[in-house]
């Protein structure tokens, strides 16, 4: 049975779309037929990060309105044979989304895909609610700062109270914590919250830590999901996230500050 996974957060700019692109790519690279849906109607950034913006002809609103078939709107990813993208509309209002239309699309996708990844807009407006409502699992993305963590806590409340699973009294949405833009040096200097601090506030299982890196911006600008960056800590971190999601037990590699050359020489970590 296909799983619906929402990538969500309360605050903008924490790396949701970057995560959606890399997470869905990672699932597909492991042989899972995967589709990633952009719910950010009016803005639409997922196609840029996936490098398929010039191939967008139809979008999710065209499908909801019955103007085209779902197959016509899906775009095959250029890097992964098992990955498809359903873009958002840049010209419509978020109110063009409706629960009936979204449910119809998800039910059709479940017939052909193993995983359906929903890239949610920030906050709690209608697009974010639509992306969260049908979720089986949620990756809650947060930066190591108080405002981001506080807003993520609010999202957890919505998942627990307003998701379809909550409304129908089913098993709760399975929640995972993903900490992005993490810099152990700044954490040690007291400039950022530690992973322990974040976990104590949110109280959900940690799926992964993505280190701060300039390569993320370069990858986004080139239309390449970060997971495809060779010899990159960010790519390794996202691969670890996917592996843990699939049930593997891996250590968290990017929490501790990397030792300098002389510290390593003297036996430091």
């Amino acid at each position: 049975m296909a799983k619906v996974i929402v990538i969500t957060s309360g605050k903008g700019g924490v790396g949701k779309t970057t995560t959606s692109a890399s997470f869905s790519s990672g699932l597909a690279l492991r042989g899972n037929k995967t589709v990633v849906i952009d719910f950010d109607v009016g803005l639409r950034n997922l196609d840029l990060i996936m490098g398929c913006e010039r191939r967008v002809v139809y979008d999710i609103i065209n499908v909801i309105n019955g103007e085209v078939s779902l197959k016509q709107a899906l775009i095959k990813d250029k890097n992964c044979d098992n990955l498809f993208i359903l873009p958002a509309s840049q010209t419509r209002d978020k109110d063009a989304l409706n629960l009936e239309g979204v449910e119809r699309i998800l039910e059709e996708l479940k017939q052909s895909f193993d995983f359906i990844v929903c890239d949610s807009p920030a906050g709690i407006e209608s697009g974010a609610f639509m992306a969260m409502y049908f979720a089986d699992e949620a990756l809650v993305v947060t930066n190591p700062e108080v405002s981001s963590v506080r807003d993520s806590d609010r999202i957890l409340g919505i998942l627990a109270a307003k998701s379809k699973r909550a409304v129908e009294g089913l098993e709760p949405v399975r929640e995972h914590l993903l900490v992005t833009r993490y810099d152990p040096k700044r954490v040690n200097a007291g400039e950022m919250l530690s992973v322990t601090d974040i976990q104590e506030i949110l109280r959900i299982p940690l799926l992964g830590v993505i280190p701060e890196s300039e390569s993320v911006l370069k990858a986004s600008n080139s239309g390449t999901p970060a997971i495809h960056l060779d010899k990159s800590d960010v790519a390794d971190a996202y691969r670890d996230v996917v592996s843990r999601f699939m049930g593997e037990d891996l250590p968290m590699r990017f929490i501790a500050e990397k030792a300098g050359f002389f510290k390593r020489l003297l036996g430091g970590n």
Side-chain angles (χ1 to χ4, degrees):
M1 184 66 179
K3 280 188 178 178
V4 179
I5 306 156
V6 65
I7 313 294
T8 184
S9 75
K11 190 173 182 290
V14 301
K16 280 187 308 303
T17 301
T18 295
T19 295
S20 296
S22 288
F23 184 72
S24 58
S25 296
L27 290 171
L29 288 169
R30 294 175 68 106
N32 302 290
K33 195 168 183 187
T34 306
V35 58
V36 57
I37 305 173
D38 189 349
F39 277 85
D40 203 355
V41 174
L43 292 178
R44 197 177 83 190
N45 289 314
L46 180 64
D47 56 302
L48 291 171
I49 291 179
M50 302 293 288
C52 64
E53 69 277 7
R54 294 179 183 176
R55 289 188 283 145
V56 175
V57 179
Y58 300 116
D59 56 59
I60 188 172
I61 304 303
N62 293 130
V63 180
I64 286 176
N65 290 344
E67 297 160 1
V68 298
S69 69
L70 181 57
K71 188 174 181 180
Q72 284 178 280
L74 288 174
I75 301 169
K76 191 174 184 295
D77 183 61
K78 62 184 180 182
N79 294 303
C80 306
D81 287 339
N82 291 321
L83 181 60
F84 291 79
I85 301 102
L86 180 58
S89 171
Q90 275 186 312
T91 59
R92 310 288 183 95
D93 189 84
K94 287 177 171 55
D95 292 336
L97 288 170
N98 60 73
L99 284 178
E100 294 77 16
V102 171
E103 184 172 28
R104 190 172 66 249
I105 287 173
L106 293 178
E107 289 303 315
E108 186 174 344
L109 290 172
K110 285 178 181 179
Q111 305 306 311
S112 305
F113 290 90
D114 301 310
F115 292 103
I116 301 166
V117 178
C118 302
D119 180 26
S120 171
I124 55 173
E125 42 79 22
S126 61
F129 178 72
M130 299 288 171
M132 286 189 282
Y133 185 75
F134 296 101
D136 299 310
E137 306 202 30
L139 269 63
V140 180
V141 183
T142 187
N143 290 159
E145 56 183 66
V146 173
S147 61
S148 180
V149 175
R150 181 193 62 193
D151 289 350
S152 293
D153 203 20
R154 190 175 184 191
I155 293 297
L156 291 173
I158 293 172
L159 286 168
K162 294 187 177 183
S163 66
K164 187 173 189 285
R165 286 177 168 269
V167 170
E168 296 183 356
L170 303 175
E171 185 178 337
V173 175
R174 189 178 176 204
E175 299 158 342
H176 310 270
L177 173 63
L178 183 67
V179 181
T180 55
R181 305 192 67 177
Y182 196 76
D183 185 341
K185 188 174 182 179
R186 294 185 65 189
V187 171
N188 292 339
E191 298 173 4
M192 283 183 171
L193 295 176
S194 69
V195 167
T196 302
D197 293 333
I198 297 168
Q199 285 184 285
E200 286 179 354
I201 296 168
L202 297 181
R203 302 285 181 176
I204 61 173
L206 179 65
L207 187 64
V209 175
I210 311 299
E212 176 73 279
S213 174
E214 292 181 1
S215 63
V216 172
L217 180 59
K218 292 177 183 177
S220 298
N221 288 339
S222 66
T224 304
I227 199 169
H228 294 302
L229 297 173
D230 290 334
K231 300 177 182 177
S232 157
D233 283 354
V234 170
D236 288 343
Y238 274 119
R239 290 189 197 102
D240 285 358
V241 165
V242 174
S243 295
R244 290 190 200 98
F245 183 83
M246 298 301 293
E248 296 179 28
D249 185 13
L250 298 177
M252 295 288 171
R253 294 195 275 169
F254 303 101
I255 293 177
E257 184 176 349
K258 285 187 177 180
F261 174 76
F262 290 108
K263 190 173 181 181
R264 293 198 303 272
L265 196 66
L266 295 170
N269 292 323

